[in-house]
Amino acid sequence: MQRSPALESESFDRVLSSMCTEPHPAARTAAERFLASNPGDPATYEEVSRLETKAIDLLAEIVDHPAPDAADGYITSGGTEANIQAVRAARNLSEANEPNVVVPESAHFSFTKAAELLDVELRTVPLDGKLRADLEAVSAAVDEETALVVGVAGTTEYGRVDPIPELCAIAHEVDARMHVDAAWGGFVLPFTDRDWTFSDAPIDTLTIDPHKFGRAVVPSGGLLTRDGRTLDALAVETPYLETYSQATLTGTRSGAGVASAVAAIEELWPKGYREAAKRSQRNADWLASALADRGYEVVDPTLPLVAASIPKPIFEELRAVGWKVARTTRGEVRIVCMPHVTRERLEAFLRDLDRLD
Ligand SMILES: Cc1ncc(COP(=O)(O)O)c(C=O)c1O
């Protein structure tokens, strides 16, 4: 029988907009071994359950948890689930009558979903001149009904890092919790001097996704917590399982995501990730200056993500010849320099851009 084209695997050759990348070979192998395991039922699937504990230990090291033994969390289906759960925990722990969540304008749209699902008010505050959360606006937005303040460490559109310690101080001042969304930035930031971890500020929860820069297979996100209180606030009773409660949002979950996270991190932390982060940043800096030389306005890449004011008709032609590029809310073309985005691929992209411009 002829193979359906839909069963051919995707090529990453021209993918410039995705925050996912080619999994590490060890992650693929591990994923395949655990395809049928369900960490949602740990009393039945004991091996993958042990691996999940290992994954959280490894992630706790990456996010510099000051008390790794106290760190808790789980491997989620991605950043969306981790963010929803951070909001849910904050809401459940809050004593507010009408809880609100304060997020910068740059926050990922998963917080909009969280607010809608959990019936909390979402207060979106503007950014400062550097495209980071404006501290004065955050201070003005919080009140005694605030359950959670969110800071982003590696924003989706511009790769910016919010002032996490300052945001955390504002949150705790009003007895709100503090969540850091490092879904994309989490495997790059350890090799920068940015403040974003559990050691840099007394943050309560953090999202970090192995299926982005961590090179695990999809789905593999991560929710990390300062202590066990957060997961307790999320747990529901599980009458027909041999364990008593479940804190995750989904029930049956992918063992592949868990196993591949462990395999990728064990292979790559820290040396492999450091090399990838440095290489990607060099590529982003190189691309930014190549685009600026061509007269485009470029947003400085503080992390490996470049946004440039390439006009819409050219953007559309680039897509028509196969480049998977995307645009920011303001309309810039956004290129995420993930590990598969090599210098050669960027050179090929620029050749097409020059031809079409
Ligand atoms: C900062 C940030 N948070 C959360 C998410 C959502 O992650 P996912 O698509 O894995 O649910 C993304 C996705 O790009 C992101 O960039």
Side-chain angles (χ1 to χ4, degrees), residues 23-268:
H24 188 280
R28 275 185 197 272
T29 308
E32 210 176 321
R33 285 203 195 115
F34 284 87
L35 272 177
S37 311
N38 170 18
D41 180 2
T44 304
Y45 299 94
E46 292 174 327
E47 192 53 41
V48 81
S49 170
R50 276 192 286 274
L51 279 178
E52 186 159 32
T53 305
K54 179 78 191 166
I56 296 308
D57 289 349
L58 290 166
L59 288 173
E61 195 181 328
I62 295 172
V63 302
D64 207 7
H65 200 294
D69 289 345
D72 217 335
Y74 73 95
I75 297 299
T76 64
S77 56
T80 298
E81 181 182 339
N83 287 343
I84 290 172
Q85 290 283 76
V87 175
R88 184 170 156 235
R91 186 204 61 176
N92 289 359
L93 288 164
S94 164
E95 286 171 10
N97 291 325
E98 291 179 12
N100 67 71
V101 173
V102 176
V103 303
E105 221 170 62
S106 53
H108 186 261
F109 52 77
S110 43
F111 291 101
T112 310
K113 297 182 187 177
E116 205 179 298
L117 283 167
L118 298 164
D119 200 20
V120 297
E121 181 196 348
L122 194 65
R123 295 187 178 169
T124 305
V125 300
L127 306 181
D128 65 14
K130 293 180 173 168
L131 299 168
R132 305 179 324 160
D134 184 297
L135 292 173
E136 275 180 29
V138 175
S139 291
V142 297
D143 58 22
E144 65 283 359
E145 296 283 282
T146 303
L148 184 72
V149 173
V150 173
V152 191
T155 59
T156 313
E157 294 202 319
Y158 299 106
R160 292 298 193 253
V161 183
D162 286 330
I164 302 300
E166 291 83 352
L167 287 172
C168 190
I170 296 171
H172 288 177
E173 179 73 31
V174 293
D175 286 334
R177 284 164 65 90
M178 175 70 201
H179 176 67
V180 173
D181 182 359
W184 175 70
F187 286 86
V188 177
L189 288 161
F191 314 108
T192 68
D193 59 2
R194 307 276 163 175
D195 290 332
W196 65 287
T197 68
F198 283 94
S199 289
D200 293 326
I203 63 171
D204 299 287
T205 46
L206 182 143
T207 294
I208 174 170
D209 286 355
H211 74 199
K212 294 192 170 70
F213 240 101
R215 299 200 55 201
V217 307
V218 178
S220 182
L223 176 68
L224 268 280
T225 71
R226 179 165 289 277
D227 52 43
R229 210 165 70 102
T230 305
L231 290 198
D232 290 347
L234 293 169
V236 299
E237 285 178 19
T238 51
Y240 64 85
L241 296 181
E242 288 306 308
T243 42
Y244 301 110
S245 70
Q246 190 177 83
T248 55
L249 192 59
T250 51
T252 298
R253 293 186 286 135
S254 165
V258 170
S260 74
V262 171
I265 298 170
E266 285 186 338
E267 283 288 328
L268 296 168

Side-chain angles (χ1 to χ4, degrees), residues 266-345:
E266 285 186 338
E267 283 288 328
L268 296 168
W269 172 257
K271 190 164 172 277
Y273 289 132
R274 182 184 297 111
E275 283 168 7
K278 299 278 176 201
R279 191 170 48 245
S280 293
Q281 189 63 49
R282 280 196 301 276
N283 282 340
D285 293 339
W286 176 85
L287 178 67
S289 86
L291 290 168
D293 287 348
R294 286 161 170 79
Y296 299 113
E297 256 178 59
V298 179
V299 182
D300 198 27
T302 48
L303 290 183
L305 197 165
V306 181
S309 61
I310 297 173
K312 190 162 178 241
I314 301 177
F315 162 77
E316 278 165 1
E317 287 190 61
L318 286 165
R319 285 207 52 100
V321 298
W323 291 103
K324 307 293 184 201
V325 275
R327 297 198 308 149
T328 63
T329 315
R330 293 197 311 205
E332 295 111 339
V333 170
R334 172 177 155 278
I335 292 164
V336 192
C337 293
M338 295 300 290
H340 67 271
V341 180
T342 60
R343 187 66 63 88
E344 294 69 32
R345 286 173 179 171

